[in-house]
């Protein structure tokens, strides 16, 4: 499927902007059509920081990747610290070669510094040395550190990634833990025509490597590009930041190599100069690829110039506006993260404020766009102070994925445990953002995210009926199917309890009615408490908080509280008792992770911050 949709069909006589959303569904291969041969190089950081579980799981992920290849494919493994070595030079993926590779990987140990550039470029050389015209060339770079040896300039490395892409060697990157440079790995994957993954924990590596290999083995359209031909004077910009080659009025945006079934929604902003009434400006949009798998016929859009009043009165396509808003917000977050990383706190907050103002300027009353603007405003405080490394990387990864996939959906593309805090009222958004930010920097914890674009109908005033709660939970299923959801409502629940767990949907419903019982504590601390209490389900299928609750008062996280005032006492002075720590360990939870999350909740309770009260 290939379609192009403008936000508005007419132009005024004066200069103006229009949005263009292109919808692409890559066809799946028919029947038993043979796939393209894959030439893969796995480039693995073996520096000292990778010692132990990190390197063990990275090598196991490499073994799994090699096992998926077939005769006709080729693979190599490059390792790097301050030196670059090739334990497995490029070789055809025969059964014997795959067995020998597994033995060779057993000899790799951790040591030294990080010559990221040298290792990556050697992987590119291994691929290009044997790359025939019909093959797919891909380098997968895995690192937990900074480029501190050899080529260290991000601009130099990304320039080389662009050059390698033009030679049909594409690059994907995986950043592990909190020590790598997300801005560098993100740019390498963008300019290199591949993917960027963020693995907060080592045990996520096999899943990400498997996902990358699965995509490469499913490619049907190599070197795909979206070509836009516009009249002279019309400026075309990609809201997704796709790499672009310009030749006069023709802009070719690189989409990379696309697997069958991939759905993309690239967005563009077109700036039209002034012109005469009655003239029509024609823009052609076409898809190209090396294999001829994509649609050949271009989409032609004609924009006639009409009177100013008629142009101003025309309705806008709300889906196009919403997708543009999501991308504008994602870009603002990415820019703000860079400013935050440079310790330019006020500039980072101003970037989000300016983006929120722009979104409200073209929202035209749309509740989803207003909600996106509210999210940006709610995040300003978090971006205006130091952020934990893991939190910064998580936010950067989410912004990258939103921009790459087109801003057309709210679900996260991350793997690994995820907890999605859902607000059913816009004024609750600051509470969820503050609480999520407080929990987000704990290593080994789930990824905490927030979504305030709730898909259901507005909730009526008064207690939430059981039927209403069931419908609420069903509506929440539309948000990020892989995440555990914690839905916050302002209404009291029918039984006057303040939380219910729905195990079949992996969703909790939390009532924020009666927050005044928290006395002087920040309301966000109660939200963080509930996110923690139910979010542990994301880390252990055997976790059941009801089995840990005790009626005796031990000032413990799992004291049974029947009033929010009792929670307030626990937030100020509570701990986790020895008995509960033992029970947490018994169901596979890391007691240190849970303790750190609880301390983060208490720090928020004691901060004096009154956000959202």
């Amino acid at each position: 499927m290939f379609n192009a949709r403008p936000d508005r069909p007419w132009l005024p006589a004066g200069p103006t902007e229009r949005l263009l959303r292109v919808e692409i569904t890559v066809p799946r291969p028919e029947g038993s059509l043979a796939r393209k041969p894959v030439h893969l190089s796995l480039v693995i950081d073996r520096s000292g920081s990778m010692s132990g579980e990190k390197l063990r799981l990275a090598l196991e992920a490499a073994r799994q990747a090699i096992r998926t290849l077939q005769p006709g494919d080729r693979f190599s493994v490059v390792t790097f610290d301050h030196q670059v070595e090739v334990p497995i030079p490029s070789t055809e993926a025969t059964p014997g070669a795959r067995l020998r590779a597994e033995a060779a990987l057993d000899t790799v140990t951790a040591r030294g510094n990080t010559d990221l550039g040298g290792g990556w470029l050697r992987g590119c050389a291994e691929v290009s040395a044997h790359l025939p015209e019909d093959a797919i060339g891909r380098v997968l770079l895995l690192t937990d550190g900074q480029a501190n040896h050899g080529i260290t300039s991000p601009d130099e490395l990304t320039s080389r990634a662009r050059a390698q892409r033009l030679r049909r060697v594409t690059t994907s990157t995986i950043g592990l833990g909190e020590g790598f440079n997300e801005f560098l790995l993100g740019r390498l994957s963008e300019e290199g025509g591949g993917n960027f993954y963020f693995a907060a924990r080592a045990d996520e590596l096999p899943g990400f490597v498997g996902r990358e290999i699965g995509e490469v083995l499913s490619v049907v359209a190599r070197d795909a590009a979206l070509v836009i031909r516009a009249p002279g004077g019309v400026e075309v910009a990609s809201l997704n930041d796709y790499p672009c080659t310009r030749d006069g009025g023709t802009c070719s945006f690189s989409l990379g190599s696309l697997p069958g079934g991939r759905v993309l929604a690239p967005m563009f902003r077109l700036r039209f100069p002034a012109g005469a009434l009655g003239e029509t400006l024609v823009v052609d949009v076409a898809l190209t690829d090396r294999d001829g798998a994509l649609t050949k016929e271009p989409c032609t859009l004609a924009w006639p110039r009409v009177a100013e009043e008629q142009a101003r009165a025309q309705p806008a396509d709300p889906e196009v506006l919403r997708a543009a808003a999501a991308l504008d917000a994602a870009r603002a977050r990415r820019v703000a993260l860079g400013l935050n990383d440079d310790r330019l706190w006020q500039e980072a907050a101003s970037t989000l404020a300016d983006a929120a103002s722009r979104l409200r300027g073209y929202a035209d009353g749309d509740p989803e766009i207003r909600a996106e603007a509210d999210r940006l405003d709610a995040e300003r405080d978090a971006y205006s102070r130091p952020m934990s490394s893991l939190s910064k990387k998580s936010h950067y990864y989410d912004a990258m994925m939103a921009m790459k996939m087109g801003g057309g959906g709210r679900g996260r593309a991350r793997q690994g445990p995820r907890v999605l805090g859902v607000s059913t009222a816009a004024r609750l958004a600051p509470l969820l953002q503050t609480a999520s930010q407080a929990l987000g920097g704990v290593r080994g914890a789930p990824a905490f995210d927030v979504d305030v674009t709730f898909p259901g109908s507005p909730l009526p005033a008064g207690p939430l009926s059981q039927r209403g709660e069931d419908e609420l939970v069903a509506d929440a299923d539309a948000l990020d199917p892989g995440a555990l959801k914690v839905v916050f409502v302002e209404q009291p629940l029918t039984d006057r309890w303040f939380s219910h767990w729905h195990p079949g949907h992996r969703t909790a419903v939390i009532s924020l009615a009666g927050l005044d019982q928290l006395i002087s504590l920040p309301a966000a601390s109660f939200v963080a408490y509930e996110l923690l209490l139910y979010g542990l389900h994301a880390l252990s299928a055997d976790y059941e908080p009801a089995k840990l609750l005790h009626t005796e008062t031990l000032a413990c996280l799992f004291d049974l509280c029947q009033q929010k005032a009792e929670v307030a006492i626990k937030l100020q002075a509570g701990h986790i008792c020895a008995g509960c720590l033992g029970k947490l360990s018994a169901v596979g939870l890391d007691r240190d992770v849970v303790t750190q999350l609880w301390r983060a909740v208490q720090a928020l309770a004691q901060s004096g911050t009154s956000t959202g009260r």
Side-chain angles (χ1 to χ4, degrees), residues 227-230 244-252:
V227 180
I228 299 180
R229 297 180 179 86
C244 179
T245 302
R246 301 180 187 273
D247 182 9
T250 300
C251 301
S252 180

Side-chain angles (χ1 to χ4, degrees), residues 167-208:
R167 299 187 186 106
R168 299 189 297 111
V169 178
T170 56
T171 297
S172 289
T173 60
I174 300 178
L176 171 61
E178 52 188 307
F180 70 91
N181 183 337
E182 62 271 26
F183 304 98
L184 171 59
L185 294 193
R187 288 178 63 190
L188 277 177
S189 68
E190 279 186 323
E191 293 295 343
N195 302 302
F196 166 58
Y197 305 94
F198 164 45
R201 305 185 311 276
D203 60 8
E204 293 182 294
L205 288 176
F208 282 130

Side-chain angles (χ1 to χ4, degrees), residues 449-586:
D449 199 8
V450 176
D451 197 315
V452 297
T453 312
F454 188 68
S457 302
L459 300 179
L464 184 63
S465 68
Q466 186 59 56
R467 178 178 178 182
E469 183 173 339
D470 291 342
E471 292 175 350
L472 184 73
V473 170
D475 288 334
D477 285 341
L479 299 170
D480 193 356
L484 181 144
K485 287 98 173 177
V486 185
V487 182
F488 292 86
V489 301
E490 296 179 301
Q491 294 79 359
L493 305 181
T494 50
D495 57 4
R496 300 294 172 174
W497 200 244
F498 44 84
S499 65
H500 290 159
W501 172 243
H502 298 258
H505 296 266
R506 298 182 75 239
T507 297
V509 177
I510 313 298
S511 170
L512 296 183
L515 278 180
D516 55 331
Q517 296 179 33
L518 287 176
I519 315 173
S520 61
L521 296 186
S525 62
F526 176 76
V527 174
Y529 161 76
E530 294 289 357
L531 286 172
L532 164 58
L533 195 64
Y534 287 100
L536 294 179
H537 281 286
L539 295 177
S540 170
D542 297 322
Y543 167 73
E544 294 184 42
K547 292 184 177 180
L548 281 79
L549 294 176
H550 37 70
T551 54
E552 65 272 31
T553 301
L554 303 175
C556 171
L557 167 63
F558 294 100
D559 281 359
L560 179 64
C561 298
Q562 298 183 347
Q563 302 292 331
K564 289 188 173 72
E566 296 172 341
V567 177
I569 296 172
K570 185 160 57 173
L571 289 173
Q572 294 178 87
H575 66 300
I576 304 178
C577 71
C580 286
L581 285 174
K583 292 177 182 179
L584 292 171
S585 297

Side-chain angles (χ1 to χ4, degrees), residues 99-120:
L99 286 174
R100 288 190 295 273
E102 296 207 18
L105 290 173
D106 290 339
T107 67
V108 177
T109 57
R111 67 186 191 193
N113 294 319
T114 311
D115 185 3
L116 183 152
W120 166 64

Side-chain angles (χ1 to χ4, degrees), residues 236-476:
V236 182
S238 166
L239 271 65
N240 310 78
D241 288 347
Y242 285 119
C244 179
T245 302
R246 301 180 187 273
D247 182 9
T250 300
C251 301
S252 180
F253 296 92
S254 174
L255 306 179
S257 294
L258 302 178
R262 170 65 57 84
V263 177
L264 293 175
M267 284 285 304
F268 302 90
R269 182 170 278 119
L270 282 68
R271 294 185 173 89
F272 291 90
L277 280 176
E279 76 170 343
T280 297
L281 277 69
V282 176
V283 174
D284 289 326
V285 183
L287 276 173
T288 66
D289 68 287
R290 183 180 295 273
D291 301 301
L294 302 177
T295 303
K296 293 298 183 182
E297 293 300 320
C299 289
T300 299
L301 298 101
W303 273 286
R305 293 196 186 267
V306 299
E308 184 70 30
E309 298 78 11
Q310 186 179 0
R312 203 165 38 239
Q314 65 184 316
D317 184 327
E319 290 189 20
V320 176
L321 289 184
R322 290 167 189 162
L327 287 170
D328 282 342
R331 177 184 288 104
R333 290 183 178 101
R334 194 160 77 159
V335 172
L337 284 167
L339 293 168
N340 180 282
D341 195 56
D342 291 335
R343 306 180 68 82
L344 299 172
W345 319 123
Q346 187 56 50
E347 290 85 345
S350 296
T351 296
L352 297 186
D354 292 345
S357 178
R358 286 196 303 273
L359 263 59
R360 293 189 179 98
Y362 64 75
D364 196 24
D366 187 279
E368 289 192 24
I369 299 178
R370 290 203 311 268
E372 188 71 78
D374 291 343
R375 273 195 293 274
L376 289 170
D377 277 337
E379 293 168 11
R380 285 166 54 191
D381 181 60
Y383 281 71
S384 63
R385 60 175 186 264
M387 301 172 73
S388 73
S389 180
L390 282 177
S391 179
K392 194 183 305 178
K393 287 167 171 53
S394 180
H395 288 308
Y396 181 84
Y397 180 80
D398 289 345
M400 282 273 301
M401 292 305 302
M403 293 184 68
K404 181 165 185 174
M405 302 311 294
R410 297 292 310 152
R412 290 163 62 97
R414 278 199 59 186
Q415 295 186 353
R418 305 190 303 286
V419 177
L420 186 66
V422 182
S423 170
T424 56
R427 57 182 163 270
L428 301 181
L431 293 176
L432 271 70
Q433 293 287 359
T434 302
S436 178
Q437 177 68 27
L439 297 170
V442 176
R443 188 172 185 176
F448 289 92
D449 199 8
V450 176
D451 197 315
V452 297
T453 312
F454 188 68
S457 302
L459 300 179
L464 184 63
S465 68
Q466 186 59 56
R467 178 178 178 182
E469 183 173 339
D470 291 342
E471 292 175 350
L472 184 73
V473 170
D475 288 334

